[in-house]
Amino acid sequence: MAIVLGPNRYGKAETRLVRVTRDGGTHRLKDVNVSISLSGAMRDVHLTGDNSAVLPTDTQKNTVFAFAKKHGIAAIEDFGLLLARHFVASQPAITHARVEIHEYGWRRIGGGHSFVRDGGEVRTALVHGDAEAETVVSGLADLVVLNSTGSEFHGFARDEYTTLEPADDRVLATAVTARWRHRDTNAAWDASYAAARDALLKAFAETHSLSLQQTLYQMGRRVLEGRHGICEIRLSLPNKHHFLVDLEPFGLKNDNEVYFAADRPYGLIEGTVRTDDAPDAPSAWN
């Protein structure tokens, strides 16, 4: 039996960076978390401890800070592509770069330099780059949404352990994680993100839901129909259950007004929606 080295990568995870752009008395913030993974000719470092092909992870962190100063940060997709191209082009041993960036929003609250952290979703970007191809997957996480009606769930399979009662009017809530793959790297990233986010919200609000699976598909479909530059979207929707509280012991009627919001356990609904001409790119999601 032979023992061989399998796929591997290394890098600097979660470099936290805030970039302040000062335009006179008006400032702008970019608050990001950057993770880098590099791969290539790394056999010797694993088998013999030869570090000659290894670009230190500390150098990768320093590059993030230096590039933020030299180039600024516009769309996080562009910043990810810039970093990936740099590492592949500048290091002979590096053949592939993976850059993942999370962006945290801030809103101006008065004057030109005061901000409050936005309590909404986290914007995400995942970039893969090598000499052969580049891929960009944009997305968001923790987009919390709720419909107080317009949701049902019935006609489901039953067995001897089933106790759930059918529902023809229930609260439907979830924290959306969505990631969508672009056909190329020439998108107008900010406009594309805004349009995809808007499509997700409208589909959630406008779908009379018979299941969270149905809602997931409609959300993905709405994004693809509105943005031809997007060919595939993957969604993860935890079902944030809301249960009616039994108020009869207190002589009160609960007419779909008072709920217990359970944080766990929860149903987890996941799925992919794609166009039929989407090019295969399984490594784009790694």
Side-chain angles (χ1 to χ4, degrees):
M1 178 184 67
I3 298 175
V4 298
L5 177 66
N8 61 87
R9 62 191 184 192
Y10 79 103
K12 198 65 153 184
E14 299 199 39
T15 297
R16 289 290 281 111
L17 161 69
V18 174
R19 173 63 153 91
V20 180
T21 301
R22 303 173 186 271
D23 184 11
T26 301
H27 298 174
R28 297 188 303 276
L29 293 184
K30 277 286 185 174
D31 183 355
V32 297
N33 194 8
V34 182
S35 293
I36 297 167
S37 291
L38 307 178
S39 55
M42 296 293 145
R43 180 178 180 276
D44 288 347
V45 65
H46 287 89
L47 301 188
T48 70
D50 179 356
N51 293 321
S52 59
V54 177
L55 183 71
T57 65
D58 190 67
T59 303
Q60 297 172 37
K61 174 202 69 178
N62 293 340
T63 304
V64 171
F65 291 134
F67 272 39
K69 168 59 179 175
K70 291 172 61 177
H71 304 287
I73 304 175
I76 56 176
E77 290 87 350
D78 280 326
F79 194 59
L81 285 165
L82 190 69
L83 288 167
R85 291 166 181 167
H86 165 77
F87 290 119
V88 171
S90 64
Q91 297 297 317
I94 301 302
T95 58
H96 188 95
R98 176 192 187 276
V99 182
E100 184 171 14
I101 305 177
H102 290 186
E103 179 180 354
Y104 312 102
W106 292 83
R107 290 184 290 108
R108 189 172 283 107
I109 58 174
H113 58 270
S114 299
F115 301 84
V116 60
R117 175 73 176 268
D118 195 329
E121 77 279 1
V122 176
R123 179 173 170 177
T124 65
L126 177 60
V127 174
H128 283 273
D130 55 35
E132 302 298 324
E134 295 176 327
T135 60
V136 176
V137 174
S138 301
L140 53 82
D142 297 327
L143 179 65
V144 180
V145 290
L146 182 149
N147 282 332
S148 56
T149 190
S151 175
E152 308 176 33
F153 189 59
H154 46 73
F156 45 82
R158 307 186 70 94
D159 66 12
E160 63 269 33
Y161 303 112
T162 302
T163 60
L164 184 68
E165 294 297 326
D168 58 11
D169 187 8
R170 65 172 183 168
V171 169
L172 182 66
T174 186
V176 179
T177 296
R179 299 187 296 164
W180 49 90
R181 176 162 63 96
H182 299 268
R183 294 183 184 274
D184 56 50
T185 59
N186 296 315
W189 304 116
D190 289 343
S192 178
Y193 176 84
R197 181 184 185 276
D198 186 59
L200 290 168
L201 292 176
K202 285 183 176 178
F204 180 83
E206 296 172 4
T207 299
H208 184 93
S209 179
L210 300 179
S211 67
L212 190 49
Q213 287 89 334
Q214 177 200 15
T215 300
L216 179 150
Y217 177 75
Q218 292 301 324
M219 292 171 74
R221 179 177 179 174
R222 186 78 66 96
V223 171
L224 297 180
E225 288 178 339
R227 303 298 300 181
H228 298 300
I230 299 172
C231 60
E232 181 179 6
I233 180 169
R234 300 185 179 187
L235 295 117
S236 177
L237 305 181
N239 196 338
K240 301 175 79 68
H241 298 298
H242 289 66
F243 299 109
L244 277 171
V245 177
D246 181 9
L247 299 178
E248 289 187 2
F250 318 120
L252 299 172
K253 181 180 179 181
N254 191 356
D255 188 16
N256 289 345
E257 294 172 309
V258 180
Y259 297 85
F260 167 64
D263 66 341
R264 64 197 67 180
Y266 53 86
L268 182 60
I269 313 303
E270 298 178 301
T272 300
V273 186
R274 57 185 297 174
T275 62
D276 59 6
D277 65 345
D280 288 333
S283 63
W285 306 93
N286 290 340

